[in-house]
Amino acid sequence: MYESYWRLTSAPFENDANPAHYFPGRSHHGALLKLRYLIENRKGVGLVVGGHGAGKSFLTHVLEQQLAERFRPVVRLVYPQLTPSELLSTLAVRLGEPATSVDSHQGADVIFARLERRLTTHVREGQSPVIIIDEAHLLETTHLQTLQLLLNLQQQQPDLFSLVLCGRPDLLNRVRKLPALHDRVAVRTTLHPLSEEESTQYIKHRLKIAGLETAVFDPDALRSFWQLSQGVPRKINQLCDLSLLVGFADGLEKLTRIEVEAAAEELCGVSAD
């Protein structure tokens, strides 16, 4: 709605999966390098944890774009409301196994055999699939144990696949309670909120990607974004988006702390006091 008013070519603060929006903050850049190391060197299992809105899912989309074509297909599951057998069946189908050949009511050994066959086919074709499970902190112990069994296949053939589990920080404790799975984790990384300096750079990066070269937020406004969002990327996006809308509605040329605080109050009743 406000893009033409601010001379933008696109909406700069969408919470989307567009890798062009990626800003290499220290924590996020470090996590991305670790995940690439995990996958490119066939290390097995990686955990990515962070609070709500930290950018876990977004980071995996950036990761997918940076990976070479041999690391395909990339299969994504958002915490599936599935039984362990249904989880395996879904993975098999997403990896290319005909749905007619995989039934979650079949025995686990049959499903494992189908899944192993499909994974082996990818390896023969020069591919090493990547499995990403989001909201993994919600997985039950039985799901994690099933993934642990799946990893046994990988022990025999490291190229078979890589597994990335993304979730809230308590995912670390859930995995720790399963020693056999915990010992297989090669990479653990935590996404931290952006610092004040990173927050400012993040906002400027987003605006530049959207075609705006001039400063639309004054220094106090930029400081307020960090204070009110606590450096959480999703909150920064929401506050920036609403602030631009407020400025458009009021016909302003530049946005100050006043507009940012007004946006925060309207968004969630947050006060800077």
Side-chain angles (χ1 to χ4, degrees):
M1 178 183 293
Y2 57 66
E3 287 86 354
S4 60
Y5 178 81
W6 294 110
R7 298 180 298 281
L8 297 166
T9 57
S10 61
F13 296 105
E14 291 293 304
N15 286 307
D16 56 19
N18 182 359
H21 286 156
Y22 172 64
F23 170 76
R26 181 177 179 181
S27 172
H28 292 71
H29 182 61
L32 187 59
L33 290 178
K34 288 181 180 179
L35 290 176
R36 286 191 58 177
Y37 168 79
L38 170 86
I39 294 169
E40 291 171 358
N41 292 279
R42 280 85 167 182
K43 293 294 182 179
V45 190
L47 304 183
V48 182
V49 300
H52 182 68
K56 301 180 293 294
S57 298
F58 177 72
L59 191 72
T60 64
H61 285 280
V62 177
L63 171 69
E64 180 178 354
Q65 185 189 56
Q66 293 189 1
L67 290 173
E69 283 302 312
R70 67 180 180 275
F71 299 109
R72 295 290 186 275
V74 175
V75 176
R76 299 175 178 277
L77 293 180
V78 178
Y79 171 58
Q81 298 281 350
L82 304 171
T83 66
S85 292
E86 289 171 339
L87 172 61
L88 292 175
S89 298
T90 301
L91 285 175
V93 172
R94 294 281 185 88
L95 287 164
E97 189 70 10
T100 53
S101 71
V102 182
D103 187 336
S104 61
H105 294 96
Q106 295 171 329
D109 56 340
V110 175
I111 300 175
F112 264 101
R114 301 287 189 190
L115 186 50
E116 182 179 15
R117 182 180 69 180
R118 180 51 52 182
L119 288 167
T120 302
T121 298
H122 283 298
V123 172
R124 282 202 304 265
E125 294 172 350
Q127 297 175 309
S128 184
V130 179
I131 299 171
I132 299 171
I133 300 182
D134 210 347
E135 302 294 339
H137 59 281
L138 297 175
L139 291 172
E140 301 291 341
T141 299
T142 51
H143 291 99
L144 294 174
Q145 289 172 331
T146 299
L147 292 174
Q148 177 184 314
L149 292 174
L150 182 60
L151 289 166
N152 290 339
L153 299 178
Q154 190 193 55
Q155 276 188 314
Q156 304 164 22
Q157 195 170 358
D159 286 355
L160 214 52
F161 67 93
S162 297
L163 174 64
V164 177
L165 301 179
C166 303
R168 304 284 178 83
D170 56 305
L171 173 62
L172 295 172
N173 290 329
R174 296 182 66 82
V175 171
R176 194 174 291 117
K177 292 177 181 178
L178 296 171
L181 177 59
H182 182 262
D183 291 345
R184 299 289 301 279
V185 177
V187 166
R188 297 171 182 81
T189 185
T190 301
L191 298 186
H192 298 287
L194 300 176
S195 67
E196 182 176 354
E197 181 182 358
E198 287 176 329
S199 173
T200 295
Q201 293 172 345
Y202 173 85
I203 293 168
K204 291 179 178 180
H205 169 76
R206 284 274 189 146
L207 289 170
K208 184 175 181 179
I209 292 297
L212 185 63
E213 297 288 347
T214 58
V216 66
F217 299 116
D218 74 12
D220 282 342
L222 291 170
R223 190 173 301 111
S224 295
F225 283 126
W226 178 71
Q227 292 171 336
L228 293 168
S229 68
Q230 298 181 314
V232 176
R234 182 174 296 170
K235 290 182 180 179
I236 294 174
N237 290 344
Q238 293 170 335
L239 287 171
C240 287
D241 181 60
L242 194 52
S243 295
L244 288 171
L245 181 60
V246 168
F248 161 64
D250 292 344
L252 303 176
E253 293 183 3
K254 204 159 193 176
L255 299 173
T256 69
R257 183 184 186 95
I258 294 174
E259 287 73 48
V260 178
E261 291 180 353
E265 243 181 90
E266 185 172 336
L267 184 66
C268 51
V270 174
S271 172
D273 297 331

